[in-house]
Amino acid sequence: MFCTIFSQLFLSSAQYTQLCGNQLPGFIIDIHTGKPVDIDECRDIPGVCYNGVCINQVGSFRCECPLGFSYNDQLLLCEDIDECVNSDHLCFNNAFCVNIPGSYRCECTKGYSRSPSGTCVDRNECSEIPNICSHGECVDTPGSYVCICHAGFTVTEDKAMCIDVDECEQKPCGNGTCRNTVGSYNCLCFPGFELTHNNDCIGKTQPFR
Ligand SMILES: [Ca+2]
Ligand SMILES: [Ca+2]
Ligand SMILES: [Ca+2]
């Protein structure tokens, strides 16, 4: 059994001849008759022709691989072809390639969804997602959307949300304590100070005597 396809794979031809003499690969010598007998590689090699069909032949064997698979003559099995690597532009117009066993498929890129005709079209996030851009207006863009925020709110870096501005960080109250609120802020004036229409605290004017 040693002088079979296994040893052919792992030995140089000189090493093979040294170990196996002129015995033909793919045959085993019958100890009773002394004659070479075909080895059934399909039966004797574990996992041979995996994903495909093994066909024994006199002195050898072959693997028949299904569509989308190719024969790996080192591993003796049928390997999935990664169509996404081998062929550019299998998927186009806002889609990308996903390799699957025996085939591939095209998936829409982020921000796009499959239309009834099968093409990838822009999603209108503004109408599809409830409460998107709360505290602002949603504007649809190709592949995405942006939020235009109401006063007192600022847009996140990805322009996907409006978040409250903490106006107190700017210390707007002067002689008072600032309290941030959602969309605005309040000033609580220190004793002796009063709130102006500019929402800050100034000293109370002394009444004339
Ligand atoms: Ca054979
Ligand atoms: Ca969009
Ligand atoms: Ca605020």
Side-chain angles (χ1 to χ4, degrees):
M1 269 307 282
F2 186 75
C3 296
T4 64
I5 184 89
F6 287 121
S7 36
Q8 275 189 291
L9 287 169
F10 301 113
L11 300 173
S12 70
S13 57
Q15 285 172 317
Y16 182 85
T17 307
Q18 193 184 2
L19 280 165
C20 304
N22 291 322
Q23 183 185 326
L24 291 169
F27 292 94
I28 191 165
I29 304 299
D30 187 310
I31 53 165
H32 300 296
T33 66
K35 292 203 166 116
V37 176
D38 174 55
I39 294 166
D40 185 349
E41 292 86 353
C42 299
R43 189 192 61 200
D44 293 344
I45 304 176
V48 71
C49 300
Y50 185 73
N51 288 325
V53 176
C54 184
I55 294 159
N56 185 44
Q57 294 174 314
V58 176
S60 67
F61 73 99
R62 67 189 164 89
C63 295
E64 285 194 349
C65 296
L67 206 66
F69 291 82
S70 67
Y71 183 57
N72 181 322
D73 61 2
Q74 299 295 305
L75 300 174
L76 312 180
L77 48 74
C78 297
E79 272 184 333
D80 173 52
I81 297 167
D82 188 345
E83 293 85 355
C84 299
V85 166
N86 296 338
S87 337
D88 289 340
H89 314 305
L90 279 173
C91 304
F92 34 75
N93 293 340
N94 309 311
F96 62 97
C97 185
V98 177
N99 184 45
I100 55 174
S103 187
Y104 69 96
R105 64 167 183 263
C106 296
E107 286 189 359
C108 296
T109 48
K110 192 170 181 290
Y112 292 82
S113 57
R114 200 165 294 282
S115 70
S117 68
T119 58
C120 292
V121 294
D122 176 50
R123 289 181 65 194
N124 188 338
E125 292 86 353
C126 299
S127 59
E128 285 178 19
I129 305 172
N131 302 323
I132 196 169
C133 297
S134 68
H135 306 295
E137 307 299 331
C138 183
V139 177
D140 187 48
T141 64
S144 190
Y145 68 95
V146 293
C147 297
I148 309 293
C149 301
H150 298 153
F153 294 86
T154 188
V155 76
T156 52
E157 205 170 318
D158 60 2
K159 298 189 168 37
M161 268 170 48
C162 294
I163 51 170
D164 174 53
V165 174
D166 186 353
E167 294 85 351
C168 294
E169 284 179 359
Q170 303 298 320
K171 303 193 183 342
C173 295
N175 297 299
T177 303
C178 183
R179 191 170 62 93
N180 184 45
T181 65
V182 176
S184 188
Y185 68 100
N186 293 324
C187 293
L188 302 167
C189 296
F190 299 143
F193 295 88
E194 63 184 2
L195 199 62
T196 71
H197 64 274
N198 291 327
N199 211 3
D200 60 1
C201 298
I202 59 161
K204 281 183 180 165
T205 46
Q206 296 300 314
F208 289 109
R209 286 172 184 262

